[in-house]
Amino acid sequence: MYKAILLDIDGTLTNDDKIITEKTKQALLSAQQNGVRLALASGRPDMGLYKWGRELEMDKHHGLFICYNGAKVMDCQTGEELYAHSLSKDEARDVLQHLKHFAVTPIIARGEYMHTTDIFGCILNLNGEPFNIVQYESRGNNYILCEHKDLAEWVDFPVEKILTAGDPEYMRAHFEEMQAPFVERLSCMFTADFYFEYTAKDVNKATAIESACSKLGITRDEMIAFGDAENDLPMLEYAGLGVAMANAVEAVKAAADEITLDNNSDGIAASLQKHGIVSRPTPQAEPLSSDIPYLHLS
């Protein structure tokens, strides 16, 4: 019997319009009513998860937020921190100093604020169109923006992660140089074509899930996980059942135990119904045509 459902957000839980479809939402609400715990596992900070948590009523069922790609886990109902593994102050400074050599925008989330070096000059070229990545990131995660001339000089505390944003072609051409000094020291990865991030060594969604869920008495065989991107691989491989969305990258599909429908076609709901975690909806009877005679019972 499954006791936990692990969910990536973008491209998995939400459709291409960044919306949780009604069918998927109802399936997840039903799962919680049946005693199954939900966990949102994302590269987003905790501030960026509350919107989805409230919509799914996770704040009423002790749902889990696995934030910063696994650097932090918290109970979204109580705010209790169940796991944390941050970059040290010196590690963060080293990364930020190194990034000065590249045409990327570094971003750090702290409290209610998102800190960066240039709020207005961080325009990327995405699909031939100008795109302000800082505006996108701050609005999507409900942050107040704060600008610093030198982030490396400003940072004097541990950091959950350092996010960098840049044009996709530039990032692909330079990410090896960007990670070279830290390959043995930190975890470095793409989380989107235009995002490359740094977290503490061995931080990933699976490590965080294992640490937090062991405290809750949930074993890996009692977990079902859904994802679509490369940073979801550790989670899908760790869970008892790893499910790739039909829109997932090929590496995720190859590693998953099975593939469900895509994120626009309620793939999560279909899989939960297939495995008996939630019931299939009862088909509604066709309404009677007005020209069919019927009995009226008084």
Side-chain angles (χ1 to χ4, degrees):
M1 177 179 176
Y2 292 105
K3 294 183 179 179
I5 301 170
L6 316 176
L7 301 159
D8 171 56
I9 296 179
D10 300 293
T12 301
L13 175 64
T14 60
N15 63 13
D16 290 349
D17 294 322
K18 306 297 183 184
I19 293 170
I20 304 175
T21 61
E22 188 62 23
K23 185 175 180 180
T24 293
K25 177 180 175 180
Q26 292 304 320
L28 293 171
L29 290 174
S30 177
Q32 289 179 108
Q33 290 164 3
N34 292 336
V36 182
R37 192 183 295 245
L38 300 189
L40 299 184
S42 173
R44 296 170 184 251
D46 50 341
M47 287 282 290
L49 299 183
Y50 278 106
K51 170 187 174 181
W52 311 115
R54 285 191 293 267
E55 183 172 353
L56 293 172
E57 299 183 7
M58 293 171 62
D59 53 337
K60 300 177 182 178
H61 299 279
H62 292 281
L64 301 180
F65 287 167
I66 299 159
C67 323
Y68 303 106
N69 242 0
K72 178 180 177 181
V73 182
M74 58 183 292
D75 182 317
C76 70
Q77 182 169 341
T78 65
E80 179 187 2
E81 190 174 278
L82 302 174
Y83 173 83
H85 189 187
S86 301
L87 294 164
S88 70
K89 175 185 71 176
D90 290 339
E91 288 171 334
R93 283 183 166 176
D94 288 348
V95 170
L96 291 166
Q97 194 66 36
H98 180 62
L99 290 174
K100 292 178 182 179
H101 302 291
F102 301 93
V104 298
T105 299
I107 297 170
I108 293 174
R110 182 170 172 80
E112 297 179 292
Y113 293 87
M114 195 180 89
H115 304 265
T116 189
T117 53
D118 191 345
I119 293 172
F120 301 106
C122 49
I123 307 299
L124 306 186
N125 178 20
L126 294 182
N127 301 317
E129 298 290 335
F131 185 76
N132 187 315
I133 193 63
V134 166
Q135 180 182 30
Y136 168 80
E137 185 70 14
S138 63
R139 296 297 179 265
N141 293 302
N142 302 308
Y143 277 115
I144 302 168
L145 289 170
C146 187
E147 186 175 280
H148 301 269
K149 183 177 180 180
D150 190 332
L151 277 178
E153 183 178 312
W154 168 72
V155 166
D156 63 353
F157 49 84
V159 173
E160 281 86 2
K161 80 170 183 179
I162 296 172
L163 179 65
T164 64
D167 285 322
E169 290 186 7
Y170 181 89
M171 299 288 265
R172 285 292 175 188
H174 294 88
F175 81 93
E176 291 182 345
E177 301 166 64
M178 291 168 60
Q179 72 178 6
F182 311 106
V183 170
E184 301 299 327
R185 297 172 56 193
L186 308 176
S187 290
C188 315
M189 72 189 75
F190 276 101
T191 51
D193 289 344
F194 47 86
Y195 281 153
F196 190 78
E197 64 183 48
Y198 302 80
T199 55
K201 184 68 174 175
D202 298 326
V203 161
N204 59 57
K205 295 181 180 183
T207 302
I209 290 164
E210 180 179 25
S211 178
C213 287
S214 64
K215 299 175 183 177
L216 302 172
I218 302 173
T219 67
R220 61 190 300 179
D221 292 336
E222 297 170 322
M223 304 175 191
I224 179 171
F226 296 87
D228 73 302
E230 291 181 7
N231 64 322
D232 297 320
L233 276 170
M235 175 175 73
L236 297 188
E237 292 171 343
Y238 176 77
L241 181 63
V243 182
M245 310 301 290
N247 53 286
V249 299
E250 290 305 315
V252 171
K253 290 180 182 179
D257 297 307
E258 64 182 47
I259 300 171
T260 188
L261 303 175
D262 66 41
N263 63 316
N264 293 313
S265 305
D266 296 298
I268 291 172
S271 184
L272 296 180
Q273 291 166 6
K274 172 185 175 181
H275 293 285
I277 299 170
V278 298
S279 301
R280 295 181 183 275
T282 302
Q284 295 183 347
E286 292 293 329
L288 293 173
S289 173
S290 59
D291 59 356
I292 298 177
Y294 63 94
L295 295 175
H296 177 75
L297 302 178
S298 57

